[in-house]
Amino acid sequence: MTNIGILGAGRVGASLAGKLSAAGHRVTLGIRNPEEPTAPAAGIGPQIAFADQRTTARTADIVINATPGHTSLDRLAGLRTELSGKLLIDVSNATLDADDGLPGALCYPGSSLAEQLQAALPDTHVVKTLNTMLFTVMAAPETLADPPTAYLSGDDRNAKKAVTGLLGDLGWQPAWIEDLGGITTARATEAMILVVPHILRRDGFKPFAVSLAR
């Protein structure tokens, strides 16, 4: 059992919290007002704890960034002390909103949110993953007709090994996990978000993943 803190309690954070808790981990959701969790976090069960984001980051062994990508850097840079020496799993994409509210242009063209987080948090091991699919697939990859791909980007081999273990708890088979290399490779997977609004406009929120076929 691992103490896992999830920053952000929207659909992504709540979905991951429920599955990881069911796998036997102790999970805390970091939210603005721990006394009044909002939907969808409010309905995920009494086994999930709630705390403010600073407390969540300080008390967890592994932290997952599920905050909105365009605000993540500012939020997490302020938690440098709390995140020091820890593993930070970044599942967010940093984009500007298009006119219809769907993901638009990248916030960090020529770079990536993961790289920016690693630079701002030099004492933290940042690993990028699960950012190339609809949120429902993150914790239920087996629901797709074809095997999806979870890409990994990060500079620390042991950190990526730990993330691979957590992906297994979420239902990801080893053959579905693709280690791309260092943190700079995150700019490739983050750029995949550019195809997502076109898919959503055409098909709505039907589960999908941008996967590698062999």
Side-chain angles (χ1 to χ4, degrees):
M1 179 173 62
T2 303
N3 289 324
I4 299 175
I6 301 177
L7 305 181
R11 294 175 297 183
V12 172
S15 177
L16 294 173
K19 189 67 174 284
L20 289 170
S21 177
H25 298 289
R26 184 179 294 112
V27 179
T28 301
L29 275 171
I31 58 177
R32 292 181 184 276
N33 187 353
E35 303 301 322
E36 297 181 6
T38 56
I44 61 175
Q47 71 277 16
I48 308 295
F50 295 92
D52 63 84
Q53 293 190 346
R54 189 172 298 278
T55 299
T56 299
R58 185 179 67 250
T59 57
D61 300 314
I62 296 175
V63 179
I64 298 174
N65 173 40
T67 64
H70 66 286
T71 67
S72 291
L73 184 58
D74 287 341
R75 290 173 188 250
L76 273 65
L79 301 175
R80 177 172 175 173
T81 298
E82 289 78 9
L83 292 171
S84 178
K86 298 186 179 181
L87 166 56
L88 175 66
I89 304 173
D90 177 31
V91 303
S92 295
N93 287 305
T95 64
L96 305 173
D97 286 342
D99 292 339
D100 56 4
L102 292 177
L106 299 174
C107 290
Y108 306 108
S111 183
S112 65
L113 171 60
E115 290 173 83
Q116 297 295 315
L117 288 172
Q118 187 61 87
L121 303 166
D123 300 319
T124 302
H125 301 302
V126 179
V127 177
K128 189 81 180 191
T129 193
L130 296 180
N131 63 306
T132 55
M133 61 203 68
L134 194 66
F135 72 94
T136 56
V137 180
M138 295 179 176
E142 73 282 356
T143 58
L144 294 185
D146 299 306
T149 304
Y151 304 97
L152 293 181
S153 298
D155 292 335
D156 187 271
R157 182 176 299 178
N158 289 330
K160 287 190 285 188
K161 183 178 180 180
V163 173
T164 298
L166 286 183
L167 289 176
D169 291 337
L170 291 170
W172 289 86
Q173 297 184 22
W176 301 350
I177 300 171
E178 192 76 19
D179 187 346
L180 298 180
I183 198 67
T184 59
T185 63
R187 66 184 65 179
T189 59
E190 289 191 25
M192 292 180 186
I193 191 67
L194 297 176
V195 76
V196 169
H198 306 295
I199 295 172
L200 296 179
R201 292 186 186 106
R202 186 188 66 186
D203 298 330
F205 284 84
K206 180 179 178 181
F208 72 91
V210 183
S211 300
L212 178 66
R214 286 193 173 96

